[in-house]
């Protein structure tokens, strides 16, 4: 069953849990995500990045996700990192149940104005909206490479006024994670997260889940993060296993590889999904 994100995140916030949001790019990753949720029996956010529109169009994604999740579990179909209001409109019309408007590279006022526009169109359709304030640095092998290389921590006062002015469902904050794999040891600003949480009641989102040490993820969940995004690690794991499989059998049939890739995707996602859920502190 496809749902908007609001209810799931509010419930997660009450229980001090986080819901996993996993990036998909093709049939294999969508199948893998749905397989993982079938095993864990936990709610899942299936996240399709606007940067992958060359791989699949929005209607294809909606069709496949609907088809594979019909009558099963609790799923949100989310458009990740989109800066184009027309693409957002299209995703809402196509059947996405949640969208992210990423105005993090813009001046505060412009980010607010565009986010409000997105909220007006999305909320009329019962669709959730995530926005971002502050921007993440790029780690190694990031799929979000085109988003720029800034690390601007989120300002807590601004986060409070942004949430109030826009009424977004969820707010992505920058507290030290990076998109991609870390070049060194990550230092997550849990102190900043606590400050933001004390001023903002809107569910908070952590981007850049890949490679973040489990202890730090746990601290983030316990201090108010309710959605965590994972992308790079899915791709890195599946590609490494693909190389191994081809070394073992250079004549591996493409159809077999496709099934294996869905299974490998499911393994990575299942581990993260269960871990996020198990951190409940209340
Ligand atoms: P990673 O690629 O670092 O896991 O980040 C994913 C993400 O934040 C997607 O929006």
């Amino acid at each position: 069953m496809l749902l908007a994100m609001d209810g799931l995140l509010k419930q997660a916030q009450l229980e001090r849990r986080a819901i996993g949001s996993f990036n998909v790019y093709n049939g294999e990753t969508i199948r893998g995500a749905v397989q993982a949720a079938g095993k864990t029996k936990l709610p899942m956010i299936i996240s399709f990045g606007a940067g992958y529109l060359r791989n699949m169009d929005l209607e294809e994604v909606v069709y496949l996700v609907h088809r594979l999740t019909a009558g099963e579990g609790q799923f949100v179909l989310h458009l990740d990192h989109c800066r184009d209001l027309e693409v957002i409109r299209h995703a809402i019309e196509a059947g996405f149940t949640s969208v992210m408007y990423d105005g993090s590279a813009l001046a505060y006022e412009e980010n607010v104005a565009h986010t409000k526009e997105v909220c007006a169109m999305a909320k009329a359709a019962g669709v959730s909206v995530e926005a971002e304030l502050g921007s993440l640095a790029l780690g190694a092998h990031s799929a979000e490479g085109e988003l720029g290389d800034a690390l601007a921590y989120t300002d807590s006062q601004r986060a409070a006024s942004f949430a109030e002015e826009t009424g977004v469902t969820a707010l992505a904050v920058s507290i030290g994670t990076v998109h991609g794999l870390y070049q060194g040891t990550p230092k997550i600003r849990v102190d900043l997260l606590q400050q933001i949480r004390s001023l903002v009641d809107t569910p908070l989102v952590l981007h850049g889940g890949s490679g973040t040490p489990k202890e730090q993820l746990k601290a983030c969940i316990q201090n108010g993060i309710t959605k965590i995004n994972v992308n790079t690690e899915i791709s890195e794991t599946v590609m490494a296993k693909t190389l191994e499989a081809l070394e073992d059998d250079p004549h591996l049939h493409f159809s077999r590889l496709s099934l294996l890739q869905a299974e490998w995707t499911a393994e990575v996602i299942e581990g993260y999904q269960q871990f996020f859920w198990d951190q409940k502190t209340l």
Side-chain angles (χ1 to χ4, degrees):
M1 183 175 42
L2 285 190
L3 305 164
M5 203 160 66
D6 306 53
L8 285 181
L9 290 189
K10 277 287 173 203
Q11 186 60 33
Q13 191 176 15
L14 279 177
E15 295 176 354
R16 295 234 198 135
R17 293 184 189 276
I19 298 191
S21 174
F22 302 101
N23 281 86
V24 294
Y25 342 97
N26 54 17
E28 288 77 3
T29 43
I30 293 177
R31 275 177 205 284
V34 176
Q35 272 174 28
K39 282 210 180 153
T40 60
K41 310 273 180 240
L42 296 175
M44 174 184 286
I45 299 164
I46 297 181
S47 200
F48 181 78
Y52 301 117
L53 279 166
R54 281 185 305 260
N55 296 63
M56 291 178 92
D57 70 29
L58 296 167
E59 280 79 8
E60 284 178 286
V61 177
V62 171
Y63 174 80
L64 193 52
V65 170
H66 257 291
R67 174 133 186 103
L68 295 177
T69 62
E72 305 284 335
Q74 293 183 300
F75 294 90
V76 172
L77 177 56
H78 177 76
L79 178 71
D80 198 27
H81 283 297
C82 189
R83 288 177 284 176
D84 183 331
L85 269 59
E86 280 316 304
V87 174
I88 291 183
R89 188 186 308 280
H90 186 166
I92 294 168
E93 285 167 4
F96 277 67
T97 58
S98 177
V99 292
M100 175 187 187
Y101 173 67
D102 182 357
S104 60
L106 303 176
Y108 175 82
E109 290 73 18
E110 229 183 321
N111 191 359
V112 168
H114 291 187
T115 303
K116 278 168 99 167
E117 212 179 309
V118 170
C119 284
M121 67 169 133
K123 292 198 173 171
V127 168
S128 314
V129 177
E130 176 179 334
E132 178 165 334
L133 195 65
S135 48
L136 272 63
L138 288 182
H141 314 302
S142 173
E144 273 92 8
E146 73 280 13
L147 289 178
D149 201 3
L151 176 70
Y153 289 111
T154 303
D155 178 90
S156 55
Q157 299 286 347
R158 285 228 145 161
S161 50
F162 188 91
E164 169 99 29
E165 283 184 75
T166 61
V168 285
T169 309
L171 181 63
V173 291
S174 174
I175 56 170
T177 51
V178 301
H179 277 130
L181 299 179
Y182 295 89
Q183 315 266 10
T185 311
K187 186 173 176 332
I188 313 301
R189 293 271 316 274
V190 177
D191 62 313
L192 177 57
L193 173 60
Q194 286 168 336
Q195 262 178 45
I196 299 170
R197 178 81 292 166
S198 70
L199 299 174
V200 180
D201 192 40
T202 303
L204 300 176
V205 181
L206 187 73
H207 281 242
S210 293
T212 308
K214 290 280 167 39
E215 275 314 301
Q216 301 206 22
L217 288 174
K218 182 173 177 177
C220 289
I221 297 169
Q222 293 182 342
N223 286 283
I225 290 289
T226 47
K227 169 177 180 271
I228 303 183
N229 292 9
V230 178
N231 180 3
T232 308
E233 204 161 313
I234 299 169
S235 167
E236 292 281 312
T237 306
V238 173
M239 293 313 292
K241 286 183 179 268
T242 299
L243 279 177
E244 272 172 38
L246 289 173
E247 266 168 30
D248 285 352
D249 178 5
H251 299 288
L252 182 61
H253 197 275
F254 197 175
S255 60
R256 172 79 188 128
L257 180 63
S258 168
L259 293 176
L260 287 169
Q261 288 179 332
E263 274 171 34
W264 298 328
T265 299
E267 281 166 21
V268 182
I269 292 182
E270 195 186 319
Y272 269 109
Q273 199 193 15
Q274 192 68 54
F275 175 80
F276 297 153
W277 190 257
D278 289 345
Q279 303 316 305
K280 174 175 168 153
T281 46
L282 290 178

